Amino acid sequence: MAVRIRLKRLGAKKAPFYRIVVADSRTSRNGKSIDEIGYYDPTKEPVVLKVDAEAANKWLATGAQPSDTAKALLKKAGVIGE
């Protein structure tokens, strides 16, 4: 099972709100997720980004691959450095 860390879109039309989730790569974007490790709200000023670093590091250590956007958000939150 290929596990990915990616964004799940919530919120109304033209007002997105994202949860950072761990999910099987074969599930749909808003499908069932294994774990929720944070959230991201780009509509607020300043942007709201909250990540559970302990859970994120646990999933990264077990082999979960972050999507490009999730990787950028994890870097911004200081969970991964590069």
Side-chain angles (χ1 to χ4, degrees):
M1 178 168 76
V3 178
R4 302 274 321 210
I5 298 175
R6 61 186 185 194
L7 301 181
K8 177 186 248 185
R9 190 185 193 278
L10 302 167
K13 182 169 61 172
K14 304 280 186 178
F17 178 86
Y18 299 95
R19 287 191 182 146
I20 303 170
V21 298
V22 178
D24 186 341
S25 63
R26 296 169 292 186
T27 61
S28 63
R29 179 191 71 187
N30 290 339
K32 186 177 177 185
S33 59
I34 300 169
D35 192 12
E36 182 182 318
I37 60 172
Y39 58 87
Y40 170 59
D41 190 354
T43 61
K44 296 268 197 276
E45 197 55 53
V47 171
V48 177
L49 174 62
K50 167 82 170 67
V51 178
D52 182 356
E54 188 176 313
N57 285 324
K58 181 193 100 166
W59 282 106
L60 289 168
T62 57
Q65 295 294 313
S67 67
D68 293 338
T69 308
K71 189 174 192 176
L73 290 174
L74 290 173
K75 283 181 186 178
K76 191 174 181 181
V79 174
I80 57 176
E82 281 178 37

PDB file of all heavy atoms in Angstrom, residues 12-47:
ATOM      1  N   ALA A  12     -16.477  25.955   1.218  1.00  0.00           N
ATOM      2  CA  ALA A  12     -17.459  26.314   0.206  1.00  0.00           C
ATOM      3  C   ALA A  12     -16.789  26.647  -1.127  1.00  0.00           C
ATOM      4  O   ALA A  12     -15.563  26.752  -1.218  1.00  0.00           O
ATOM      5  CB  ALA A  12     -18.269  27.516   0.679  1.00  0.00           C
ATOM      6  N   LYS A  13     -17.609  26.841  -2.135  1.00  0.00           N
ATOM      7  CA  LYS A  13     -17.111  27.248  -3.441  1.00  0.00           C
ATOM      8  C   LYS A  13     -16.407  28.598  -3.303  1.00  0.00           C
ATOM      9  O   LYS A  13     -16.909  29.495  -2.636  1.00  0.00           O
ATOM     10  CB  LYS A  13     -18.295  27.352  -4.412  1.00  0.00           C
ATOM     11  CG  LYS A  13     -17.905  27.712  -5.816  1.00  0.00           C
ATOM     12  CD  LYS A  13     -19.055  27.538  -6.778  1.00  0.00           C
ATOM     13  CE  LYS A  13     -20.219  28.429  -6.429  1.00  0.00           C
ATOM     14  NZ  LYS A  13     -21.261  28.414  -7.470  1.00  0.00           N
ATOM     15  N   LYS A  14     -15.237  28.736  -3.888  1.00  0.00           N
ATOM     16  CA  LYS A  14     -14.410  29.948  -3.860  1.00  0.00           C
ATOM     17  C   LYS A  14     -13.856  30.266  -2.459  1.00  0.00           C
ATOM     18  O   LYS A  14     -13.320  31.337  -2.240  1.00  0.00           O
ATOM     19  CB  LYS A  14     -15.186  31.177  -4.360  1.00  0.00           C
ATOM     20  CG  LYS A  14     -15.778  31.029  -5.733  1.00  0.00           C
ATOM     21  CD  LYS A  14     -14.756  31.243  -6.796  1.00  0.00           C
ATOM     22  CE  LYS A  14     -15.436  31.227  -8.152  1.00  0.00           C
ATOM     23  NZ  LYS A  14     -14.533  31.459  -9.220  1.00  0.00           N
ATOM     24  N   ALA A  15     -14.014  29.335  -1.495  1.00  0.00           N
ATOM     25  CA  ALA A  15     -13.491  29.529  -0.143  1.00  0.00           C
ATOM     26  C   ALA A  15     -12.887  28.215   0.358  1.00  0.00           C
ATOM     27  O   ALA A  15     -13.444  27.565   1.238  1.00  0.00           O
ATOM     28  CB  ALA A  15     -14.599  30.004   0.789  1.00  0.00           C
ATOM     29  N   PRO A  16     -11.743  27.822  -0.211  1.00  0.00           N
ATOM     30  CA  PRO A  16     -11.188  26.515   0.139  1.00  0.00           C
ATOM     31  C   PRO A  16     -10.572  26.484   1.538  1.00  0.00           C
ATOM     32  O   PRO A  16     -10.072  27.478   2.053  1.00  0.00           O
ATOM     33  CB  PRO A  16     -10.109  26.309  -0.916  1.00  0.00           C
ATOM     34  CG  PRO A  16      -9.685  27.682  -1.277  1.00  0.00           C
ATOM     35  CD  PRO A  16     -10.927  28.519  -1.191  1.00  0.00           C
ATOM     36  N   PHE A  17     -10.629  25.313   2.138  1.00  0.00           N
ATOM     37  CA  PHE A  17     -10.015  25.011   3.421  1.00  0.00           C
ATOM     38  C   PHE A  17      -9.469  23.602   3.263  1.00  0.00           C
ATOM     39  O   PHE A  17     -10.156  22.733   2.731  1.00  0.00           O
ATOM     40  CB  PHE A  17     -11.075  25.060   4.522  1.00  0.00           C
ATOM     41  CG  PHE A  17     -10.549  24.720   5.878  1.00  0.00           C
ATOM     42  CD1 PHE A  17      -9.987  25.692   6.670  1.00  0.00           C
ATOM     43  CD2 PHE A  17     -10.622  23.423   6.369  1.00  0.00           C
ATOM     44  CE1 PHE A  17      -9.500  25.377   7.929  1.00  0.00           C
ATOM     45  CE2 PHE A  17     -10.140  23.108   7.614  1.00  0.00           C
ATOM     46  CZ  PHE A  17      -9.577  24.085   8.402  1.00  0.00           C
ATOM     47  N   TYR A  18      -8.225  23.379   3.640  1.00  0.00           N
ATOM     48  CA  TYR A  18      -7.605  22.085   3.393  1.00  0.00           C
ATOM     49  C   TYR A  18      -7.199  21.406   4.693  1.00  0.00           C
ATOM     50  O   TYR A  18      -6.731  22.062   5.618  1.00  0.00           O
ATOM     51  CB  TYR A  18      -6.354  22.254   2.529  1.00  0.00           C
ATOM     52  CG  TYR A  18      -6.627  22.857   1.183  1.00  0.00           C
ATOM     53  CD1 TYR A  18      -6.490  24.223   0.975  1.00  0.00           C
ATOM     54  CD2 TYR A  18      -7.030  22.071   0.113  1.00  0.00           C
ATOM     55  CE1 TYR A  18      -6.744  24.792  -0.263  1.00  0.00           C
ATOM     56  CE2 TYR A  18      -7.283  22.632  -1.135  1.00  0.00           C
ATOM     57  CZ  TYR A  18      -7.135  23.988  -1.303  1.00  0.00           C
ATOM     58  OH  TYR A  18      -7.401  24.531  -2.531  1.00  0.00           O
ATOM     59  N   ARG A  19      -7.361  20.084   4.734  1.00  0.00           N
ATOM     60  CA  ARG A  19      -6.814  19.278   5.813  1.00  0.00           C
ATOM     61  C   ARG A  19      -5.626  18.530   5.243  1.00  0.00           C
ATOM     62  O   ARG A  19      -5.676  18.021   4.117  1.00  0.00           O
ATOM     63  CB  ARG A  19      -7.848  18.272   6.326  1.00  0.00           C
ATOM     64  CG  ARG A  19      -8.920  18.936   7.135  1.00  0.00           C
ATOM     65  CD  ARG A  19      -9.761  17.912   7.856  1.00  0.00           C
ATOM     66  NE  ARG A  19     -10.808  18.623   8.588  1.00  0.00           N
ATOM     67  CZ  ARG A  19     -12.021  18.158   8.789  1.00  0.00           C
ATOM     68  NH1 ARG A  19     -12.352  16.974   8.332  1.00  0.00           N
ATOM     69  NH2 ARG A  19     -12.899  18.861   9.465  1.00  0.00           N
ATOM     70  N   ILE A  20      -4.559  18.459   6.010  1.00  0.00           N
ATOM     71  CA  ILE A  20      -3.384  17.693   5.605  1.00  0.00           C
ATOM     72  C   ILE A  20      -3.597  16.288   6.157  1.00  0.00           C
ATOM     73  O   ILE A  20      -3.694  16.104   7.379  1.00  0.00           O
ATOM     74  CB  ILE A  20      -2.094  18.331   6.150  1.00  0.00           C
ATOM     75  CG1 ILE A  20      -1.990  19.778   5.665  1.00  0.00           C
ATOM     76  CG2 ILE A  20      -0.877  17.521   5.710  1.00  0.00           C
ATOM     77  CD1 ILE A  20      -0.894  20.580   6.327  1.00  0.00           C
ATOM     78  N   VAL A  21      -3.721  15.322   5.257  1.00  0.00           N
ATOM     79  CA  VAL A  21      -4.082  13.963   5.655  1.00  0.00           C
ATOM     80  C   VAL A  21      -3.082  12.943   5.121  1.00  0.00           C
ATOM     81  O   VAL A  21      -2.335  13.207   4.181  1.00  0.00           O
ATOM     82  CB  VAL A  21      -5.494  13.577   5.160  1.00  0.00           C
ATOM     83  CG1 VAL A  21      -6.552  14.470   5.763  1.00  0.00           C
ATOM     84  CG2 VAL A  21      -5.577  13.600   3.655  1.00  0.00           C
ATOM     85  N   VAL A  22      -3.096  11.778   5.753  1.00  0.00           N
ATOM     86  CA  VAL A  22      -2.344  10.623   5.288  1.00  0.00           C
ATOM     87  C   VAL A  22      -3.370   9.684   4.679  1.00  0.00           C
ATOM     88  O   VAL A  22      -4.362   9.331   5.326  1.00  0.00           O
ATOM     89  CB  VAL A  22      -1.614   9.942   6.456  1.00  0.00           C
ATOM     90  CG1 VAL A  22      -0.876   8.709   5.973  1.00  0.00           C
ATOM     91  CG2 VAL A  22      -0.672  10.914   7.135  1.00  0.00           C
ATOM     92  N   ALA A  23      -3.166   9.309   3.412  1.00  0.00           N
ATOM     93  CA  ALA A  23      -4.141   8.472   2.715  1.00  0.00           C
ATOM     94  C   ALA A  23      -3.440   7.521   1.756  1.00  0.00           C
ATOM     95  O   ALA A  23      -2.311   7.772   1.326  1.00  0.00           O
ATOM     96  CB  ALA A  23      -5.126   9.346   1.944  1.00  0.00           C
ATOM     97  N   ASP A  24      -4.129   6.460   1.431  1.00  0.00           N
ATOM     98  CA  ASP A  24      -3.662   5.528   0.412  1.00  0.00           C
ATOM     99  C   ASP A  24      -3.651   6.291  -0.921  1.00  0.00           C
ATOM    100  O   ASP A  24      -4.581   7.043  -1.220  1.00  0.00           O
ATOM    101  CB  ASP A  24      -4.609   4.332   0.343  1.00  0.00           C
ATOM    102  CG  ASP A  24      -4.119   3.243  -0.597  1.00  0.00           C
ATOM    103  OD1 ASP A  24      -3.259   3.520  -1.453  1.00  0.00           O
ATOM    104  OD2 ASP A  24      -4.607   2.112  -0.473  1.00  0.00           O
ATOM    105  N   SER A  25      -2.625   6.102  -1.709  1.00  0.00           N
ATOM    106  CA  SER A  25      -2.491   6.858  -2.961  1.00  0.00           C
ATOM    107  C   SER A  25      -3.594   6.527  -3.962  1.00  0.00           C
ATOM    108  O   SER A  25      -3.838   7.302  -4.876  1.00  0.00           O
ATOM    109  CB  SER A  25      -1.131   6.602  -3.591  1.00  0.00           C
ATOM    110  OG  SER A  25      -1.012   5.241  -3.944  1.00  0.00           O
ATOM    111  N   ARG A  26      -4.276   5.404  -3.792  1.00  0.00           N
ATOM    112  CA  ARG A  26      -5.314   5.003  -4.742  1.00  0.00           C
ATOM    113  C   ARG A  26      -6.675   5.626  -4.445  1.00  0.00           C
ATOM    114  O   ARG A  26      -7.565   5.559  -5.282  1.00  0.00           O
ATOM    115  CB  ARG A  26      -5.447   3.481  -4.761  1.00  0.00           C
ATOM    116  CG  ARG A  26      -4.178   2.801  -5.272  1.00  0.00           C
ATOM    117  CD  ARG A  26      -4.229   1.319  -5.039  1.00  0.00           C
ATOM    118  NE  ARG A  26      -4.168   1.067  -3.594  1.00  0.00           N
ATOM    119  CZ  ARG A  26      -4.085  -0.132  -3.055  1.00  0.00           C
ATOM    120  NH1 ARG A  26      -4.070  -1.196  -3.813  1.00  0.00           N
ATOM    121  NH2 ARG A  26      -4.018  -0.287  -1.755  1.00  0.00           N
ATOM    122  N   THR A  27      -6.842   6.235  -3.276  1.00  0.00           N
ATOM    123  CA  THR A  27      -8.137   6.842  -2.945  1.00  0.00           C
ATOM    124  C   THR A  27      -8.277   8.200  -3.626  1.00  0.00           C
ATOM    125  O   THR A  27      -7.287   8.824  -4.004  1.00  0.00           O
ATOM    126  CB  THR A  27      -8.312   7.028  -1.420  1.00  0.00           C
ATOM    127  OG1 THR A  27      -7.302   7.891  -0.936  1.00  0.00           O
ATOM    128  CG2 THR A  27      -8.279   5.714  -0.698  1.00  0.00           C
ATOM    129  N   SER A  28      -9.521   8.664  -3.750  1.00  0.00           N
ATOM    130  CA  SER A  28      -9.766   9.953  -4.389  1.00  0.00           C
ATOM    131  C   SER A  28      -9.310  11.093  -3.481  1.00  0.00           C
ATOM    132  O   SER A  28      -9.033  10.881  -2.299  1.00  0.00           O
ATOM    133  CB  SER A  28     -11.257  10.101  -4.714  1.00  0.00           C
ATOM    134  OG  SER A  28     -12.014  10.093  -3.527  1.00  0.00           O
ATOM    135  N   ARG A  29      -9.280  12.296  -4.015  1.00  0.00           N
ATOM    136  CA  ARG A  29      -8.788  13.461  -3.282  1.00  0.00           C
ATOM    137  C   ARG A  29      -9.508  13.651  -1.944  1.00  0.00           C
ATOM    138  O   ARG A  29      -8.878  13.909  -0.929  1.00  0.00           O
ATOM    139  CB  ARG A  29      -8.949  14.723  -4.125  1.00  0.00           C
ATOM    140  CG  ARG A  29      -8.472  15.984  -3.408  1.00  0.00           C
ATOM    141  CD  ARG A  29      -8.886  17.227  -4.134  1.00  0.00           C
ATOM    142  NE  ARG A  29     -10.329  17.410  -4.013  1.00  0.00           N
ATOM    143  CZ  ARG A  29     -11.000  18.346  -4.658  1.00  0.00           C
ATOM    144  NH1 ARG A  29     -10.386  19.153  -5.482  1.00  0.00           N
ATOM    145  NH2 ARG A  29     -12.295  18.463  -4.498  1.00  0.00           N
ATOM    146  N   ASN A  30     -10.824  13.549  -1.948  1.00  0.00           N
ATOM    147  CA  ASN A  30     -11.593  13.735  -0.723  1.00  0.00           C
ATOM    148  C   ASN A  30     -12.100  12.415  -0.162  1.00  0.00           C
ATOM    149  O   ASN A  30     -13.041  12.387   0.616  1.00  0.00           O
ATOM    150  CB  ASN A  30     -12.770  14.684  -0.976  1.00  0.00           C
ATOM    151  CG  ASN A  30     -12.299  16.104  -1.213  1.00  0.00           C
ATOM    152  OD1 ASN A  30     -11.197  16.481  -0.826  1.00  0.00           O
ATOM    153  ND2 ASN A  30     -13.118  16.891  -1.863  1.00  0.00           N
ATOM    154  N   GLY A  31     -11.455  11.318  -0.548  1.00  0.00           N
ATOM    155  CA  GLY A  31     -11.858   9.999  -0.076  1.00  0.00           C
ATOM    156  C   GLY A  31     -11.412   9.741   1.349  1.00  0.00           C
ATOM    157  O   GLY A  31     -10.942  10.636   2.067  1.00  0.00           O
ATOM    158  N   LYS A  32     -11.543   8.496   1.739  1.00  0.00           N
ATOM    159  CA  LYS A  32     -11.209   8.079   3.099  1.00  0.00           C
ATOM    160  C   LYS A  32      -9.716   8.282   3.371  1.00  0.00           C
ATOM    161  O   LYS A  32      -8.873   7.938   2.547  1.00  0.00           O
ATOM    162  CB  LYS A  32     -11.581   6.606   3.272  1.00  0.00           C
ATOM    163  CG  LYS A  32     -11.405   6.099   4.667  1.00  0.00           C
ATOM    164  CD  LYS A  32     -11.865   4.655   4.772  1.00  0.00           C
ATOM    165  CE  LYS A  32     -11.621   4.139   6.165  1.00  0.00           C
ATOM    166  NZ  LYS A  32     -11.950   2.727   6.280  1.00  0.00           N
ATOM    167  N   SER A  33      -9.422   8.826   4.542  1.00  0.00           N
ATOM    168  CA  SER A  33      -8.025   9.043   4.915  1.00  0.00           C
ATOM    169  C   SER A  33      -7.675   8.185   6.125  1.00  0.00           C
ATOM    170  O   SER A  33      -8.538   7.803   6.908  1.00  0.00           O
ATOM    171  CB  SER A  33      -7.768  10.525   5.212  1.00  0.00           C
ATOM    172  OG  SER A  33      -8.594  10.969   6.256  1.00  0.00           O
ATOM    173  N   ILE A  34      -6.395   7.897   6.276  1.00  0.00           N
ATOM    174  CA  ILE A  34      -5.911   7.083   7.380  1.00  0.00           C
ATOM    175  C   ILE A  34      -5.760   7.925   8.635  1.00  0.00           C
ATOM    176  O   ILE A  34      -6.140   7.517   9.724  1.00  0.00           O
ATOM    177  CB  ILE A  34      -4.561   6.428   7.007  1.00  0.00           C
ATOM    178  CG1 ILE A  34      -4.727   5.545   5.775  1.00  0.00           C
ATOM    179  CG2 ILE A  34      -4.005   5.640   8.173  1.00  0.00           C
ATOM    180  CD1 ILE A  34      -3.432   5.071   5.173  1.00  0.00           C
ATOM    181  N   ASP A  35      -5.191   9.127   8.493  1.00  0.00           N
ATOM    182  CA  ASP A  35      -4.915   9.992   9.636  1.00  0.00           C
ATOM    183  C   ASP A  35      -4.945  11.443   9.186  1.00  0.00           C
ATOM    184  O   ASP A  35      -4.609  11.752   8.047  1.00  0.00           O
ATOM    185  CB  ASP A  35      -3.531   9.648  10.209  1.00  0.00           C
ATOM    186  CG  ASP A  35      -3.252  10.267  11.564  1.00  0.00           C
ATOM    187  OD1 ASP A  35      -4.190  10.789  12.189  1.00  0.00           O
ATOM    188  OD2 ASP A  35      -2.084  10.217  11.998  1.00  0.00           O
ATOM    189  N   GLU A  36      -5.343  12.325  10.081  1.00  0.00           N
ATOM    190  CA  GLU A  36      -5.332  13.759   9.815  1.00  0.00           C
ATOM    191  C   GLU A  36      -4.219  14.378  10.656  1.00  0.00           C
ATOM    192  O   GLU A  36      -4.217  14.236  11.877  1.00  0.00           O
ATOM    193  CB  GLU A  36      -6.679  14.365  10.193  1.00  0.00           C
ATOM    194  CG  GLU A  36      -6.784  15.838   9.899  1.00  0.00           C
ATOM    195  CD  GLU A  36      -8.116  16.421  10.340  1.00  0.00           C
ATOM    196  OE1 GLU A  36      -9.146  15.772  10.125  1.00  0.00           O
ATOM    197  OE2 GLU A  36      -8.084  17.519  10.913  1.00  0.00           O
ATOM    198  N   ILE A  37      -3.272  15.050  10.000  1.00  0.00           N
ATOM    199  CA  ILE A  37      -2.121  15.562  10.738  1.00  0.00           C
ATOM    200  C   ILE A  37      -2.050  17.084  10.779  1.00  0.00           C
ATOM    201  O   ILE A  37      -1.123  17.634  11.372  1.00  0.00           O
ATOM    202  CB  ILE A  37      -0.791  14.988  10.183  1.00  0.00           C
ATOM    203  CG1 ILE A  37      -0.590  15.358   8.720  1.00  0.00           C
ATOM    204  CG2 ILE A  37      -0.743  13.491  10.361  1.00  0.00           C
ATOM    205  CD1 ILE A  37       0.762  14.989   8.171  1.00  0.00           C
ATOM    206  N   GLY A  38      -3.013  17.775  10.175  1.00  0.00           N
ATOM    207  CA  GLY A  38      -2.998  19.230  10.243  1.00  0.00           C
ATOM    208  C   GLY A  38      -4.032  19.852   9.338  1.00  0.00           C
ATOM    209  O   GLY A  38      -4.849  19.164   8.727  1.00  0.00           O
ATOM    210  N   TYR A  39      -3.993  21.184   9.262  1.00  0.00           N
ATOM    211  CA  TYR A  39      -4.895  21.903   8.374  1.00  0.00           C
ATOM    212  C   TYR A  39      -4.222  23.156   7.840  1.00  0.00           C
ATOM    213  O   TYR A  39      -3.225  23.633   8.382  1.00  0.00           O
ATOM    214  CB  TYR A  39      -6.223  22.245   9.062  1.00  0.00           C
ATOM    215  CG  TYR A  39      -6.096  23.083  10.314  1.00  0.00           C
ATOM    216  CD1 TYR A  39      -6.058  24.471  10.260  1.00  0.00           C
ATOM    217  CD2 TYR A  39      -6.033  22.484  11.561  1.00  0.00           C
ATOM    218  CE1 TYR A  39      -5.945  25.234  11.407  1.00  0.00           C
ATOM    219  CE2 TYR A  39      -5.924  23.233  12.713  1.00  0.00           C
ATOM    220  CZ  TYR A  39      -5.883  24.618  12.631  1.00  0.00           C
ATOM    221  OH  TYR A  39      -5.765  25.374  13.776  1.00  0.00           O
ATOM    222  N   TYR A  40      -4.789  23.678   6.739  1.00  0.00           N
ATOM    223  CA  TYR A  40      -4.244  24.841   6.043  1.00  0.00           C
ATOM    224  C   TYR A  40      -5.410  25.670   5.529  1.00  0.00           C
ATOM    225  O   TYR A  40      -6.274  25.158   4.828  1.00  0.00           O
ATOM    226  CB  TYR A  40      -3.360  24.355   4.890  1.00  0.00           C
ATOM    227  CG  TYR A  40      -2.909  25.411   3.916  1.00  0.00           C
ATOM    228  CD1 TYR A  40      -2.164  26.502   4.337  1.00  0.00           C
ATOM    229  CD2 TYR A  40      -3.214  25.303   2.564  1.00  0.00           C
ATOM    230  CE1 TYR A  40      -1.743  27.462   3.429  1.00  0.00           C
ATOM    231  CE2 TYR A  40      -2.789  26.251   1.648  1.00  0.00           C
ATOM    232  CZ  TYR A  40      -2.054  27.332   2.091  1.00  0.00           C
ATOM    233  OH  TYR A  40      -1.636  28.273   1.200  1.00  0.00           O
ATOM    234  N   ASP A  41      -5.453  26.938   5.919  1.00  0.00           N
ATOM    235  CA  ASP A  41      -6.526  27.840   5.486  1.00  0.00           C
ATOM    236  C   ASP A  41      -5.912  29.036   4.766  1.00  0.00           C
ATOM    237  O   ASP A  41      -5.462  29.991   5.396  1.00  0.00           O
ATOM    238  CB  ASP A  41      -7.350  28.294   6.685  1.00  0.00           C
ATOM    239  CG  ASP A  41      -8.615  29.032   6.274  1.00  0.00           C
ATOM    240  OD1 ASP A  41      -8.791  29.297   5.073  1.00  0.00           O
ATOM    241  OD2 ASP A  41      -9.424  29.333   7.165  1.00  0.00           O
ATOM    242  N   PRO A  42      -5.880  29.005   3.420  1.00  0.00           N
ATOM    243  CA  PRO A  42      -5.265  30.096   2.660  1.00  0.00           C
ATOM    244  C   PRO A  42      -6.132  31.345   2.553  1.00  0.00           C
ATOM    245  O   PRO A  42      -5.661  32.379   2.094  1.00  0.00           O
ATOM    246  CB  PRO A  42      -5.044  29.475   1.281  1.00  0.00           C
ATOM    247  CG  PRO A  42      -6.123  28.468   1.163  1.00  0.00           C
ATOM    248  CD  PRO A  42      -6.330  27.922   2.550  1.00  0.00           C
ATOM    249  N   THR A  43      -7.392  31.269   2.982  1.00  0.00           N
ATOM    250  CA  THR A  43      -8.290  32.418   2.842  1.00  0.00           C
ATOM    251  C   THR A  43      -8.135  33.427   3.965  1.00  0.00           C
ATOM    252  O   THR A  43      -8.558  34.565   3.824  1.00  0.00           O
ATOM    253  CB  THR A  43      -9.756  31.960   2.784  1.00  0.00           C
ATOM    254  OG1 THR A  43     -10.082  31.284   4.000  1.00  0.00           O
ATOM    255  CG2 THR A  43      -9.988  31.036   1.609  1.00  0.00           C
ATOM    256  N   LYS A  44      -7.560  33.010   5.087  1.00  0.00           N
ATOM    257  CA  LYS A  44      -7.379  33.913   6.218  1.00  0.00           C
ATOM    258  C   LYS A  44      -6.182  34.825   5.982  1.00  0.00           C
ATOM    259  O   LYS A  44      -5.310  34.552   5.177  1.00  0.00           O
ATOM    260  CB  LYS A  44      -7.149  33.115   7.505  1.00  0.00           C
ATOM    261  CG  LYS A  44      -8.308  32.258   7.922  1.00  0.00           C
ATOM    262  CD  LYS A  44      -9.204  32.988   8.855  1.00  0.00           C
ATOM    263  CE  LYS A  44     -10.126  32.100   9.610  1.00  0.00           C
ATOM    264  NZ  LYS A  44     -11.335  31.708   8.998  1.00  0.00           N
ATOM    265  N   GLU A  45      -6.144  35.932   6.693  1.00  0.00           N
ATOM    266  CA  GLU A  45      -5.005  36.850   6.597  1.00  0.00           C
ATOM    267  C   GLU A  45      -4.483  37.089   8.004  1.00  0.00           C
ATOM    268  O   GLU A  45      -5.164  37.710   8.801  1.00  0.00           O
ATOM    269  CB  GLU A  45      -5.458  38.161   5.954  1.00  0.00           C
ATOM    270  CG  GLU A  45      -4.353  39.031   5.423  1.00  0.00           C
ATOM    271  CD  GLU A  45      -3.433  38.332   4.443  1.00  0.00           C
ATOM    272  OE1 GLU A  45      -3.882  37.747   3.459  1.00  0.00           O
ATOM    273  OE2 GLU A  45      -2.228  38.387   4.684  1.00  0.00           O
ATOM    274  N   PRO A  46      -3.323  36.612   8.400  1.00  0.00           N
ATOM    275  CA  PRO A  46      -2.364  35.802   7.638  1.00  0.00           C
ATOM    276  C   PRO A  46      -2.852  34.360   7.473  1.00  0.00           C
ATOM    277  O   PRO A  46      -3.736  33.907   8.189  1.00  0.00           O
ATOM    278  CB  PRO A  46      -1.104  35.848   8.494  1.00  0.00           C
ATOM    279  CG  PRO A  46      -1.603  35.995   9.882  1.00  0.00           C
ATOM    280  CD  PRO A  46      -2.847  36.855   9.774  1.00  0.00           C
ATOM    281  N   VAL A  47      -2.204  33.659   6.565  1.00  0.00           N
ATOM    282  CA  VAL A  47      -2.564  32.278   6.257  1.00  0.00           C
ATOM    283  C   VAL A  47      -2.400  31.413   7.510  1.00  0.00           C
ATOM    284  O   VAL A  47      -1.422  31.552   8.247  1.00  0.00           O
ATOM    285  CB  VAL A  47      -1.665  31.745   5.117  1.00  0.00           C
ATOM    286  CG1 VAL A  47      -1.847  30.271   4.915  1.00  0.00           C
ATOM    287  CG2 VAL A  47      -1.957  32.501   3.842  1.00  0.00           C
TER     288      VAL A  47
END
